[in-house]
Amino acid sequence: MLYTARMRAPVVGSSGWWAPVAILLALTLGCGDKNPVTPSRPGPSSTGLTITGPDALLAGLSANFALTVTMADGTTRTVVPTWTSSNPGVARVDGSGRVEGRSHGSTTLTASSGGQSASRIVQVVNNYAGSWTGRFVIRACTDTGELTDHDGGFCLAGPGRLGSTGWITLTLVQRGSPLTEITGTMGDYSEPITGAVTADGRLSLSGTVTERDFDDPDFTIATHSLGAWDTKLNGSDGMTGGWSEDFTSLVSCLGTAHIEREFLSMTRVR
């Protein structure tokens, strides 16, 4: 007997599978999984952003800044944010957080990441550090005591006569916060001179140096007190302005002289 003559033909689904197999598969998939996948918990959220880097930098130099994210669990992460500078003429920043000081002033540095942002003020300070050499001219001179009469007078015919010129060398170090403190030496004098970079970027210096006997360095011949030093940068490696000096002679011709000098040229020797 041929059973195939009495059996119904199996129904084939549109997918090509037999319908009974598809139904069995659907029933199997519909049963609950004995090992369900547990949804992962979301990571900790951030609670704050902090920009790290120096408070100030010298004009012409660069510094690196970074953004640190503090998470809700107390951990910190360093991320790469979007950087902007409110005053690119003072300082500009690239995509890596490297800030280049361009001119004296301040700018607001902003870092943005994940819908949050942080900002901090960065100062750029005129750079006077280094070794300088130049020439000056005497613009004014007054003398007292024996200096007035000796050899035609200190100011009329001596070292303080109007229009006479001379050389000057300076070595300056710039430090402190925010990089406005100046210390240095002038010429061959061993005594330090000190000063500061003013709010508008000018250099102010003062100090007293001693002129000593060549054969007996412990013997002081005269003192030179610097004051009213007012100079400013001319480009990146030039300086203009002038200063005054109170000269006191302690031997031979006793007396004092007040001299006002002006730079003819002053160049940084790196």
Side-chain angles (χ1 to χ4, degrees), residues 81-104:
T82 300
W83 293 97
T84 59
S85 170
S86 66
N87 195 343
V90 169
R92 60 185 175 189
V93 59
D94 64 16
S96 67
R98 186 172 182 81
V99 176
E100 175 193 356
R102 307 188 69 187
S103 64
H104 188 86

Side-chain angles (χ1 to χ4, degrees), residues 38 50 78 80 83 85 101 112 128 143 147 153 172 217 228 238 244 251:
T38 303
T50 304
T78 299
V80 179
W83 293 97
S85 170
S112 303
Y128 290 95
D143 50 25
L147 290 181
L172 302 177
S244 66
V251 297

Side-chain angles (χ1 to χ4, degrees), residues 142-158 253-257:
T142 57
D143 50 25
T144 66
E146 296 179 1
L147 290 181
T148 304
D149 302 321
H150 180 71
D151 287 341
F154 182 90
C155 292
L156 290 178
C253 300
L254 301 179
T256 63

Side-chain angles (χ1 to χ4, degrees), residues 3 16 36 111-112 114 128 149-150 163 170 172 178 192-193 195 214 229 232 241 243 248 252 256:
Y3 288 96
S112 303
Y128 290 95
D149 302 321
H150 180 71
L170 290 174
L172 302 177
I193 56 177
F214 181 80
W229 188 292
K232 64 180 180 179
W243 76 101
T248 302
S252 184
T256 63

Side-chain angles (χ1 to χ4, degrees), residues 98-164:
R98 186 172 182 81
V99 176
E100 175 193 356
R102 307 188 69 187
S103 64
H104 188 86
S106 64
T107 187
T108 300
L109 190 64
T110 301
S112 303
S113 177
Q116 296 180 298
S117 63
S119 298
R120 67 180 294 178
I121 295 176
V122 176
Q123 301 286 338
V124 177
V125 183
N126 273 347
N127 184 5
Y128 290 95
S131 297
W132 297 81
T133 184
R135 290 181 61 81
F136 64 83
V137 60
I138 295 178
R139 295 301 190 192
C141 180
T142 57
D143 50 25
T144 66
E146 296 179 1
L147 290 181
T148 304
D149 302 321
H150 180 71
D151 287 341
F154 182 90
C155 292
L156 290 178
R161 67 187 182 276
L162 300 185
S164 60

